[in-house]
Amino acid sequence: MERNPMRRQLAIMRQSLFDQGHVDEQFVQLEELQDDANPNFVEEVVTLYYRDSARIILNIEQALERKPFDFRKLDAYMHQFKGSSSSIGAKKVKAESTLFREYCKSGNGEGCMRSFQQLKKEYATLRKKLGAYFQLARQAGPVETASRPK
Amino acid sequence: MVMAASETKFHVLAVDDTLIDRKLIEKLLKTSSYQVTAVDSGTKALEFLGLNNNDHHDVEVNLIITDYCMPGMTGYDLLRKIKESSSFKDIPVVTMSSDNIPSRINRCLEDGAEEFFLKPVQLSDVNKLRPHLMKRRTQTNVNKRKSMDEIVSPDRARARYNELEVK
């Protein structure tokens, strides 16, 4: 149980990320890799993800402006996006990318556009929530880990 | 069996065209006490291996872990090139992919990959690498020990004889 109020708030925020389905087990895996040598590992990986995602989203937007849709190309872009979303545990975003890919495979242009709008929404929400979370984490300071019995 | 203090860390060569996944696999491997070199293509992986052979065998690669889907040379192409090379064919290779395609997985395993990991790769996957590395190191040590025994034996025999006399 966290005695420090900031740490408590952080724990609540973290739990809600999971409860609301924004992140999954993979996010925990990232947290477990964070250590004294890499105290900001999770945030670093997520920052790389944002950079990568910005590029891919732009590519998809441009591809969706060209008619007829190149579904193969759209699918390839989304395959990349799904991969990196999966690597950071971005659950909702990953689910939406899967849906987009299914629309690509069935050549459903309308479906792709709808799905892409939804995906951008989910992605924006994730960024907002993670942004607030990491900001509080930085303010709260490093966690004192219990020393393991030798 | 006691590990000699001079026993060096295993060196893993990681190949992935995605920066995030490279960072992840590097951290996973370092957390498991492996020395890591990460490159972003099969071509660079082959260059790295090739360079070592010309360079007084200073850096040894004990295992290669590669993504499957990469532009240019796929992980499968890399696997084939390594298994077809007389210098590198004994290096264990592990392939990874975010796609769960049984025919792809089987093809890699049949053509020499020790394991196939589904992404995202986790610590539990990386733990599966050790037996493949230990098997090779044990084999190398057995060969080393055999040749050492041949040198040491006469002295050992003498020590035993001396003990008997003291008694």
Side-chain angles (χ1 to χ4, degrees):
Chain A
M1 183 51 84
E2 297 289 352
R3 271 181 249 110
N4 179 327
M6 228 182 237
R7 285 261 133 217
R8 229 180 309 140
Q9 174 62 13
L10 191 66
I12 292 167
M13 243 191 200
R14 182 184 172 277
Q15 192 55 47
S16 111
L17 286 171
F18 288 96
D19 292 343
Q20 290 175 6
H22 294 294
V23 299
D24 61 26
E25 165 63 28
Q26 179 59 16
F27 192 78
V28 180
Q29 290 282 315
L30 293 184
E31 290 176 319
E32 286 179 358
L33 287 172
Q34 193 156 284
D35 54 23
D36 292 335
N38 295 84
N40 303 308
F41 181 73
V42 186
E43 197 176 357
E44 282 167 18
V45 177
V46 171
T47 304
L48 284 177
Y49 169 67
Y50 293 156
R51 218 186 297 162
D52 218 37
S53 304
R55 185 182 47 87
I56 299 172
I57 287 171
L58 185 61
N59 286 337
I60 295 174
E61 265 165 353
Q62 289 174 342
L64 287 173
E65 279 163 22
R66 284 178 229 120
K67 308 276 198 311
F69 289 160
D70 183 343
F71 288 112
R72 197 201 50 84
K73 195 175 233 176
L74 285 167
D75 185 60
Y77 285 139
M78 198 48 84
H79 178 255
Q80 278 181 56
F81 189 60
K82 183 183 168 192
S84 44
S85 301
S86 170
S87 290
I88 70 145
K91 192 175 180 183
K92 281 190 183 178
V93 173
K94 177 179 159 188
E96 204 59 51
S97 0
T98 303
L99 192 56
F100 182 94
R101 292 191 72 197
E102 278 165 24
Y103 286 129
C104 285
K105 291 192 177 81
S106 55
N108 184 341
E110 280 257 351
C112 280
M113 290 202 291
R114 254 190 347 255
S115 174
F116 187 55
Q117 291 313 311
Q118 187 58 28
L119 185 139
K120 283 195 286 186
K121 263 197 215 138
E122 299 290 0
Y123 176 70
T125 305
L126 177 71
R127 279 196 70 148
K128 203 170 90 181
K129 299 222 171 218
L130 285 179
Y133 176 71
F134 288 130
Q135 186 174 39
L136 185 60
R138 266 179 266 128
Q139 287 172 341
V143 194
E144 270 182 39
T145 46
S147 44
R148 289 171 194 272
K150 296 225 167 81
Chain B
M1 192 179 68
V2 180
M3 290 271 273
S6 58
E7 207 72 78
T8 45
K9 285 186 177 184
F10 289 120
H11 182 200
V12 179
L13 176 62
V15 192
D16 199 314
D17 64 312
T18 313
L19 180 56
I20 296 168
D21 289 345
R22 251 191 340 273
K23 189 175 170 89
L24 259 174
I25 195 73
E26 196 170 354
K27 191 69 174 78
L28 282 166
L29 291 165
K30 281 189 175 158
T31 297
S32 308
S33 302
Y34 296 120
Q35 189 196 335
V36 190
T37 300
V39 297
D40 65 5
S41 73
T43 314
K44 294 221 181 108
L46 291 174
E47 273 172 31
F48 184 78
L49 289 168
L51 260 157
N52 291 338
N53 271 331
N54 298 335
D55 246 323
H56 325 289
H57 306 273
D58 271 335
V59 183
E60 201 188 305
V61 170
N62 305 115
L63 185 137
I64 299 164
I65 181 163
T66 178
D67 187 22
Y68 186 97
C69 286
M70 296 189 292
M73 195 187 292
T74 66
Y76 179 73
D77 297 330
L78 179 62
L79 166 69
R80 290 299 304 269
K81 282 205 148 57
I82 288 165
K83 292 302 161 186
E84 282 162 14
S85 131
S86 48
S87 334
F88 313 131
K89 64 177 166 61
D90 291 330
I91 303 179
V93 180
V94 169
T95 43
M96 345 172 241
S97 176
S98 51
D99 300 311
N100 189 347
I101 301 172
S103 57
R104 173 185 290 183
I105 297 172
N106 287 332
R107 195 164 62 137
C108 287
L109 294 173
E110 277 164 21
D111 288 354
E114 306 289 340
E115 303 267 357
F116 193 108
F117 295 157
L118 282 175
K119 283 176 159 186
V121 176
Q122 301 187 340
L123 262 169
S124 54
D125 295 310
V126 175
N127 290 339
K128 294 181 194 164
L129 298 177
R130 202 157 282 272
H132 299 292
L133 289 155
M134 289 310 295
K135 190 170 63 180
R136 288 202 67 224
R137 178 160 285 181
T138 308
Q139 196 51 50
T140 316
N141 281 350
V142 165
N143 294 339
K144 271 193 205 149
R145 225 175 292 126
K146 275 193 183 150
S147 44
M148 278 175 74
D149 279 352
E150 277 151 19
I151 303 163
V152 171
S153 298
D155 290 329
R156 274 211 202 134
R158 174 164 313 200
R160 250 178 263 133
Y161 181 72
N162 286 341
E163 267 179 69
L164 284 168
E165 282 190 338
V166 168
K167 245 180 153 190

